[in-house]
């Protein structure tokens, strides 16, 4: 928990401990950020009005390092703060004053949801693709693909949107290496080349599906 009000922190820590929820509180936001890097926590309770940096500014810094569930606990009940907090990566917003019992219920709800998502990720099949954006290369089933810049950009886009339908217009307007005046036929030709290179590694693989009248879908 990052809460600079010692009395509030003590009340919440004592209450949550009665529900077997162990709380570590820090009053300084940057110290809290450091602790997140060094320790494995299940959830973060975040105040907004903090010294050094506002909680709304802290959320993006947290999201750069962690996907930990975040509950904002703040006396600021302005709808703008709530919207900005959720847009920047918080999972829930609880305006003060509130019954600590509600906080306990929201914590357990978020932890159940997070546990379920983690379980689903573990059960999902591993992707046959390895995308290295820093070096701008892609491997398929452990073998590096020799791709042009446009082929790399399109395949990377499909990988990031795996199991979703991607329209040709999406590809044209969201990929810098594809000119805005490119035709749908240009996209089809590049996709065909990508498919050919994948089939050389695994002739049985047919991962890039055509969606008639729309575009393509990379199915994993």
């Amino acid at each position: 928990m990052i809460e600079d009000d010692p009395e509030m922190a003590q009340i919440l820590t004592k209450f949550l401990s009665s529900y077997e929820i162990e709380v570590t509180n820090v009053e300084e936001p940057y110290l809290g950020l450091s602790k997140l890097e060094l320790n494995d926590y299940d959830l973060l309770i975040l105040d907004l009005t903090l010294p050094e940096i506002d909680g709304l500014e802290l959320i993006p810094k947290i999201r750069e390092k962690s996907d930990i569930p975040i509950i904002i606990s703040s006396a600021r009940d302005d709808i703008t703060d709530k919207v900005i907090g959720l847009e920047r990566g918080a999972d829930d917003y609880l305006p003060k004053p509130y019954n600590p019992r509600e906080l306990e219920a929201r914590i357990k709800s978020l932890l159940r949801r997070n546990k379920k998502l983690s379980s689903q990720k573990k059960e999902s099949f591993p992707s046959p693709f390895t995308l290295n954006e820093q070096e701008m290369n892609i491997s398929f089933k452990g073998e590096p693909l020799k791709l042009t810049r446009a082929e790399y950009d399109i395949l990377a886009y499909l990988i990031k949107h795996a199991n979703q339908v991607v329209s040709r217009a999406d590809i044209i307007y969201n990929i810098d290496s594809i000119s805005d005046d490119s035709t749908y036929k240009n996209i089809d030709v590049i996709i065909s080349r990508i498919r050919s290179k994948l089939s050389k590694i695994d002739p049985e693989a047919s991962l890039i599906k055509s969606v008639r009248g729309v575009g393509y879908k990379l199915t994993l």
Side-chain angles (χ1 to χ4, degrees), residues 36 39-45 62-63 65-71 89-91 114:
L36 281 175
N39 301 282
D40 187 20
Y41 297 103
D42 296 316
L43 182 141
L44 173 63
I45 301 169
I62 294 170
R63 282 291 170 252
K65 304 174 184 297
S66 172
D67 60 357
I68 186 172
I70 298 174
I71 297 178
D91 298 275
N114 200 50

Side-chain angles (χ1 to χ4, degrees), residues 4-211:
D4 70 333
D5 182 337
E7 185 178 355
M8 171 64 76
Q10 184 178 16
I11 291 171
L12 293 180
T13 299
K14 184 176 180 180
F15 177 84
L16 293 174
S17 67
S18 65
Y19 287 89
E20 300 182 343
I21 299 175
E22 184 180 348
V23 179
T24 299
N25 182 63
V26 295
E27 297 181 13
E28 299 175 8
Y30 284 112
L31 178 58
L33 198 59
S34 298
K35 281 185 170 291
L36 281 175
E37 293 185 74
L38 298 173
N39 301 282
D40 187 20
Y41 297 103
D42 296 316
L43 182 141
L44 173 63
I45 301 169
L46 176 67
D47 188 21
L48 291 186
T49 306
L50 297 168
E52 301 176 337
I53 183 173
D54 188 82
L56 292 177
E57 300 300 322
L58 187 64
I59 293 172
K61 297 182 182 297
I62 294 170
R63 282 291 170 252
E64 289 176 4
K65 304 174 184 297
S66 172
D67 60 357
I68 186 172
I70 298 174
I71 297 178
I72 293 175
S73 164
S74 176
R76 288 156 45 180
D77 59 356
D78 188 292
I79 186 64
T80 302
D81 285 335
K82 181 175 182 179
V83 170
I84 293 174
L86 295 173
E87 286 180 341
R88 292 186 178 181
D91 298 275
D92 202 351
Y93 193 108
L94 195 55
K96 300 173 184 175
Y98 53 79
N99 189 318
R101 182 71 179 82
E102 182 178 0
L103 175 62
E104 181 266 340
R106 294 197 186 201
I107 288 172
K108 290 188 174 178
S109 175
L110 258 179
L111 291 178
R112 281 195 304 269
R113 189 191 316 164
N114 200 50
K115 184 178 180 181
K116 184 177 180 181
L117 289 173
S118 297
S119 176
Q120 289 174 345
K121 287 180 182 178
K122 290 178 181 177
E123 292 173 2
S124 63
F125 293 103
S127 171
F129 294 99
T130 302
L131 172 61
N132 187 328
E133 293 186 87
Q134 187 172 1
E135 297 183 8
M136 294 184 63
N137 61 53
I138 301 172
S139 294
F140 177 56
K141 296 195 171 181
E143 295 192 33
L145 294 165
K146 293 182 179 180
L147 303 169
T148 65
R149 176 60 188 272
E151 290 168 358
Y152 165 82
D153 286 343
I154 289 179
L155 183 54
Y157 190 81
L158 291 173
I159 290 170
K160 291 177 183 178
H161 296 82
N163 301 315
Q164 301 175 34
V165 176
V166 174
S167 71
R168 294 176 179 85
D170 288 333
I171 293 172
I172 291 173
Y173 296 117
N174 287 290
I175 296 178
D176 292 338
S177 61
I178 305 296
S179 172
D180 286 352
D181 58 7
S182 295
T183 65
Y184 287 178
K185 183 64 177 176
N186 296 144
I187 303 304
D188 294 340
V189 169
I190 298 172
I191 292 287
S192 178
R193 294 204 305 259
I194 295 172
R195 284 171 166 164
S196 177
K197 292 179 180 182
L198 296 179
S199 68
K200 288 179 180 178
I201 296 173
D202 183 358
E204 301 298 320
S206 180
L207 303 178
I208 303 178
K209 312 287 186 183
S210 297
V211 180

